[in-house]
Amino acid sequence: MRYELTDFEWAAIRPFLPNKPRGVPRVNDRRVLNGIFWILRSGAPWRDLPESFGPYTTCYNRFVRWRMAGIWDLIMKALAEAHDGSVQMIDTSIVRVHQHGGCAGGSEKRLMGRSRGGLTTKIHACVDTNGLPVRLELTTGAAHDNRLVTGLLSDLKSRAMLLADRGYDADWIRALVSERCAWANIPPKRNRKDPICFSPYLYRARNLVERFFNRIKQCRRVATRYDKLAANYLAFIKLASIRIWLRTYESTP
């Protein structure tokens, strides 16, 4: 079956999963995970999950239960702990909300912003030197790009370089980076009067964060938001990021 975990990926994830030796025997965790990743990659509704993965209710309930228990966050944090923080890049990407994911009310709480094109959600990402995800957050599609900068840069190291586009050219962002003894290589806005130190050559590396968004959007469950709950949608984004980290480790000699 396509999108299933390799032996290496399963060995890396297995220690993080809850282990309850007592009670009713658990459904095969690997089979459940394969079903969850199949939903992530294919974008299909949970009810369309192939029978080979078991009941769709089991996969869905396990996905939500592990999300509420912080399992996905724990795996993501463990994999990203050894990231190369000499360069950090931040950016956003807007995702359309499918009509089945839309709701009559509570759009702000569910992080759906209404515009001419309909409901949208914005993904905020911070990636490391190699374009691998470090931090991920969500806002409504209409929110400004720099709204979550403080949280995204919470791991910014001393003497590191921050790469971001012109939308992040704000004095308070540059001051925040300077306080941590780092350098913000951000192109100045056209209306900025004071000269700013900026290197177009180093700025070229910022395309790695764009590549990251392209990679996670190969998963149809990320490219289009079908989930009504923002927590579930963010969990799928983190699962796509976990897969990127696992494949990077697996291909590293």
Side-chain angles (χ1 to χ4, degrees):
M1 184 70 70
R2 298 177 65 187
Y3 320 135
E4 290 189 355
L5 294 169
T6 64
D7 292 337
F8 176 88
E9 293 172 332
W10 167 241
I13 292 179
R14 186 176 182 179
F16 297 96
L17 302 180
N19 183 20
K20 295 182 180 180
R22 297 182 179 180
V24 179
R26 292 166 56 85
V27 176
N28 188 306
D29 285 336
R30 185 170 184 176
R31 188 184 72 180
V32 171
L33 274 173
N34 285 332
I36 293 173
F37 278 107
W38 187 90
I39 292 292
L40 167 68
R41 190 65 173 81
S42 67
W46 286 99
R47 290 180 180 272
D48 293 344
L49 187 71
E51 294 181 358
S52 58
F53 297 117
Y56 79 90
T57 53
T58 300
C59 291
Y60 174 76
N61 291 335
R62 198 75 61 86
F63 166 76
V64 174
R65 191 179 301 121
W66 285 347
R67 186 263 296 172
M68 297 178 66
I71 301 299
W72 309 133
D73 294 334
L74 184 63
I75 297 174
M76 178 73 184
K77 182 178 180 180
L79 293 174
E81 187 174 359
H83 72 276
D84 185 350
S86 59
V87 178
Q88 289 195 3
M89 293 160 269
I90 56 176
D91 203 357
T92 63
S93 182
I94 294 180
V95 176
R96 289 284 302 275
V97 179
H98 194 269
Q99 60 180 348
H100 294 163
C103 52
S107 296
E108 288 294 330
K109 183 178 180 180
R110 299 187 181 186
L111 302 181
M112 299 178 187
R114 186 171 295 280
S115 61
R116 289 186 178 181
L119 293 175
T120 56
T121 295
K122 183 173 289 186
I123 305 173
H124 298 250
C126 175
V127 303
D128 70 354
T129 309
N130 302 309
L132 297 172
V134 178
R135 287 188 175 275
L136 300 162
E137 298 291 346
L138 293 179
T139 61
T140 60
H144 197 282
D145 290 358
N146 63 20
R147 176 173 293 186
L148 302 180
V149 166
T150 304
L152 291 175
L153 298 181
S154 59
D155 292 332
L156 187 64
K157 300 179 180 179
S158 176
R159 299 183 180 180
M161 179 175 63
L162 171 66
L163 296 179
D165 61 23
R166 188 173 281 109
Y168 294 91
D169 179 27
D171 292 337
W172 69 271
I173 294 179
R174 295 183 183 275
L176 175 66
V177 176
S178 298
E179 289 175 359
R180 303 183 182 181
C181 301
W183 174 44
N185 190 38
I186 303 174
K189 293 181 180 179
R190 293 180 176 85
N191 62 352
R192 177 175 282 277
K193 297 180 180 179
D194 300 329
I196 295 293
C197 180
F198 170 69
S199 172
Y201 176 77
L202 297 175
Y203 184 72
R204 295 178 183 177
R206 199 191 67 84
N207 70 84
L208 289 174
V209 67
E210 303 287 356
R211 294 183 188 180
F212 164 71
F213 284 122
N214 289 338
R215 292 179 70 181
I216 63 173
K217 286 186 178 181
Q218 292 177 9
C219 301
R220 297 192 175 188
R221 199 80 186 192
V222 174
T224 302
R225 177 174 171 179
Y226 298 98
D227 298 279
K228 293 184 178 181
L229 297 180
N232 284 348
Y233 181 60
L234 182 58
F236 273 122
I237 297 173
K238 290 181 178 179
L239 279 172
S241 301
I242 288 171
R243 203 73 187 265
I244 291 175
W245 272 107
L246 289 174
R247 290 181 175 178
T248 299
Y249 282 124
E250 187 174 11
S251 61
T252 302

